[in-house]
Amino acid sequence: MRTLRASLLDEPPQRVMAIAEAWDIPLEAASPAEMAEALSTAMRESDIDGAPAALRVRDGLPADALAALNQLLASSGRLPAAAFERRFGEIRPMGPGRLERERPWRAPANAAETLWYRGFIFRAFDRAARDPAEWFFVPAELLDALTPQTAPTVTPGPSASSGPGPAEIDSNLLDDITTLLIHIQTEDARLRRDGEWARESRQTAGRWLRDPDGVADGRPGGRFAFLTGLVAAMGWARAQDGRLRLNPQPVASWLQLTPGRQRDALFAAWRDNPDWNDLWRVEGLSFEMTHAWSNAPVRERQSALRALEAAAERAAPGGWQTLLRDLRSSLPRWRVMAAASALVALVKRDAPEFMRPDGRYDTWHIRDTRTGDFLNGFEHWDQIEGAYLMALLSGPLVWLETDRLSEPAIATPEPSLRLGKGAEVIALPGARFARFQLARIAQILGPREDGGWGFSLTPRALGTAARQGITEQRAIEFLQKGAGASLPAALSRAIGRAIERGAEARAEAGVLLRAREPAILDALLRLDAGRRGLIERVGPGVALIRPADVAAIAAAAAEMGMLIDIEAV
């Protein structure tokens, strides 16, 4: 921030004299440098009561000028010139002659001119910024005198609590991230050319997700795309020949953290990720000529979080955490969205330039996908900035479970596994590292109502594990350690037989197709649908067919003049 003396040196003598008049400071005619030195020294001094003179002059400001000054102070003493003048009025350009004739400080046209001629604000061009622009600023000495000392603020995000909190409950976020990691490890996770997950891989992984938003349609702004973006941001997988391959070390390290620290890591990965552009995923917007303009995803995201938190806390103490909890609650959706909309309106009023610090709204080439119109100008703030904030409030800030900031750090439950009937093994609720490891040697059965996950020890899964170097002894030791008990002798033998011999028996889902005569079955199996659906012929007039092909075989039989009775299958 420039000093008061340096700022006054750049101004014409007429403005310097006007400032001196407003502060009741006598100035003698002298050189510009001497005038700037004398005025800056006097403006920095205290009144007879020991209070800074700046406070006395500030207290004499009209209400509109005082509101403008407070807005500048709340923005660390500087705002883009375009944004400031749009809100508080333009300062009329005047040369020395016009200043002498009109003396605008005697009748300022608006709040901005009042502050200008009372020496509270100056103008400068910041060439060091990422996007050079003209700014209004409060000189450093005045900023110190006018700004009360407050505790530093931090970017909102998950943090550990030292006090008691609610018990660890199921986490959709952590469970679904673990599910994606298991899918990459055990399945064929294919990628499209643009790096997004292929439809088949989305659907295969999506059937086990607790929240499948974005799986079916592959929306860029959907939850599935967000979770896979987190996987990439955490460095857990790498693309190789159009497929994802797991990086096991960072995955294992994260899975062994407590739930609170796991969420912290995911929040930080999103907050600081330059490759995830929240704006470009807002529905209803299309982006053109992106080579000619750019936005800054990390700065915008962090600025948005600060603006939202500040607005919520101004609305009500503890309002930020209350809103986050309400967003994930069972309250009526209209009620929660109304609260979010009110919060966005506060940001528009108090910190509208959180995305565009230069205050210009004519440099981004964004269209409304419904009308095709370009959205240039501050009048489209709600369609861009407002929609961006609502997308954060209804998307990432819900999916990241940021309402659980007071949740205590709880270790993985011990034991982490439970043996079920026969070959079933259950990963207990919250035992995500154990679930990830169990998926290497067992087949997933799916989530259970109690929050755990069911698995079955099968020859195919154990054979895959053996090919990856997991021996019979390692598999049994893992199961015994997780369950906290020895395996039944029969189950230990079964694991050894499966690894050594493979599948000794196989169970397949099928439908019996019975014909009155073998010739009729022969005719049915000669049909294209019959050949495709056949699993095995088990007798002269009986065959096992796939359930999905029953309707096609019946339709083909009808076309050749034969009707088939179909019982419920």
Side-chain angles (χ1 to χ4, degrees):
M1 200 76 71
R2 297 187 71 192
T3 65
L4 183 57
R5 180 181 182 280
S7 302
L8 289 168
L9 269 174
D10 291 338
E11 299 303 317
Q14 291 81 357
R15 186 189 172 205
V16 174
M17 293 300 294
I19 295 171
E21 180 182 315
W23 285 63
D24 196 22
I25 296 173
L27 278 184
E28 298 180 0
S31 68
E34 291 173 334
M35 292 175 65
E37 178 66 36
L39 182 56
S40 63
T41 299
M43 291 173 71
R44 294 195 302 268
E45 291 178 350
S46 299
D47 286 336
I48 193 169
D49 60 358
L55 296 180
R56 169 179 52 83
V57 180
R58 181 203 63 185
D59 292 343
L61 290 172
D64 59 345
L66 182 59
L69 179 59
N70 287 338
Q71 183 62 59
L72 266 172
L73 298 177
S75 302
S76 301
R78 65 198 299 260
L79 276 174
F84 187 80
E85 289 189 318
R86 185 180 62 253
R87 298 182 64 186
F88 302 112
E90 294 184 5
I91 297 174
R92 294 167 291 176
M94 294 189 183
R98 187 179 175 189
L99 283 171
E100 187 66 37
R101 290 192 307 273
E102 299 187 15
R103 297 177 180 259
W105 54 88
R106 302 271 172 90
N110 49 53
E113 282 198 351
T114 299
L115 295 179
W116 180 257
Y117 290 114
R118 298 199 189 187
F120 283 109
I121 61 173
F122 292 81
R123 191 194 307 253
F125 197 81
D126 186 357
R127 294 179 173 82
R130 178 179 179 273
D131 299 308
E134 195 173 33
W135 295 71
F136 281 111
F137 66 94
V138 179
E141 298 90 336
L142 297 184
L143 183 63
D144 290 341
L146 296 170
T147 305
Q149 297 300 311
T150 59
T153 59
V154 297
T155 301
S159 59
S161 170
S162 58
E168 168 69 6
I169 60 176
D170 289 344
S171 165
N172 288 349
L173 170 71
L174 303 183
D175 266 2
D176 285 351
I177 285 287
T178 305
T179 295
L180 292 181
L181 295 175
I182 289 173
H183 181 83
I184 297 171
Q185 174 184 248
T186 62
E187 304 287 344
D188 189 16
R190 293 177 177 268
L191 300 176
R192 302 189 313 226
R193 290 185 178 180
D194 62 0
E196 300 292 338
W197 283 44
R199 181 175 60 86
E200 296 81 1
S201 295
R202 279 202 320 269
Q203 292 175 340
T204 303
R207 63 180 175 152
W208 301 125
L209 295 180
R210 296 188 182 275
D211 181 353
D213 176 71
V215 171
D217 53 18
R219 285 181 296 112
R223 183 174 182 269
F224 185 86
F226 182 76
L227 295 185
T228 56
L230 287 179
V231 170
M234 294 291 289
W236 287 335
R238 64 188 184 281
Q240 182 179 327
D241 300 327
R243 293 172 171 80
L244 283 177
R245 298 288 184 264
L246 211 64
N247 295 325
Q249 186 56 50
V251 169
S253 297
W254 179 80
L255 284 168
Q256 294 177 79
L257 296 175
T258 59
R261 293 183 63 192
Q262 287 176 339
R263 267 190 291 272
D264 283 353
L266 294 174
F267 184 93
W270 167 67
R271 184 194 60 204
D272 304 330
N273 183 7
D275 298 324
W276 181 266
N277 195 326
D278 295 282
L279 176 64
W280 285 23
R281 295 171 186 269
V282 174
E283 294 185 13
L285 302 180
S286 66
F287 305 87
E288 300 187 7
M289 298 176 62
T290 52
H291 64 282
W293 66 278
S294 63
N295 61 312
V298 174
R299 176 181 56 75
E300 292 160 11
R301 188 180 305 125
Q302 296 181 359
S303 180
L305 292 173
R306 288 191 295 269
L308 286 169
E309 183 187 34
E313 294 303 318
R314 281 196 298 274
W320 179 236
Q321 294 307 316
T322 299
L323 176 70
L324 291 174
R325 283 193 294 272
D326 287 349
L327 286 171
R328 300 190 68 248
S329 72
S330 57
L331 290 171
R333 198 65 182 159
W334 66 266
R335 177 178 168 184
V336 177
M337 286 298 100
S341 297
L343 185 63
V344 171
L346 286 177
V347 174
K348 183 180 182 181
R349 185 193 72 184
D350 298 335
E353 283 77 36
F354 73 92
M355 289 186 78
R356 309 195 217 197
D358 61 0
R360 297 191 58 185
Y361 290 82
D362 58 355
T363 57
W364 290 2
H365 303 292
I366 303 177
R367 286 186 189 268
D368 185 323
T369 57
R370 294 172 291 276
T371 65
D373 296 336
F374 276 109
L375 303 176
N376 290 331
F378 184 74
E379 60 269 24
H380 296 294
W381 190 96
D382 291 321
Q383 292 166 273
I384 298 177
E385 279 82 356
Y388 171 90
L389 293 175
M390 290 298 289
L392 294 189
L393 288 168
S394 60
L397 290 175
V398 174
W399 301 329
L400 286 165
E401 301 179 351
T402 48
D403 62 313
R404 296 185 179 169
L405 306 192
S406 62
E407 178 180 285
I410 295 179
T412 300
E414 293 292 346
S416 56
L417 304 176
R418 186 175 76 243
L419 301 180
K421 294 181 180 180
E424 184 183 20
V425 182
I426 299 162
L428 298 180
R432 298 180 184 94
F433 186 42
R435 175 158 75 95
F436 177 82
Q437 293 174 302
L438 183 57
R440 300 186 67 188
I441 63 172
Q443 178 183 332
I444 301 174
L445 298 178
R448 295 162 50 89
E449 291 185 359
D450 63 2
W453 285 75
F455 288 79
S456 178
L457 297 166
T458 65
R460 178 179 298 176
L462 288 165
T464 301
R467 289 190 292 274
Q468 295 175 351
I470 299 176
T471 64
E472 171 189 349
Q473 181 180 355
R474 282 183 60 194
I476 292 174
E477 287 177 351
F478 163 70
L479 293 171
Q480 291 183 151
K481 181 180 179 181
S486 299
L487 296 187
L491 183 58
S492 296
R493 288 197 304 272
I495 292 173
R497 288 171 66 99
I499 291 177
E500 180 182 353
R501 305 183 184 186
E504 297 180 276
R506 186 181 306 277
E508 291 185 78
V511 175
L512 284 177
L513 178 62
R514 299 180 184 275
R516 181 179 296 176
E517 299 174 4
I520 294 175
L521 182 61
D522 293 340
L524 291 172
L525 296 181
R526 282 196 295 269
L527 298 171
D528 289 342
R531 288 195 297 270
R532 287 194 302 270
L534 178 65
I535 294 176
E536 186 177 354
R537 190 162 184 167
V538 295
V542 183
L544 195 65
I545 61 173
R546 294 183 178 86
D549 291 297
V550 172
I553 294 173
E559 291 176 0
M560 62 177 271
M562 182 188 307
L563 298 180
I564 298 177
D565 275 333
I566 303 177
E567 297 183 5
V569 294

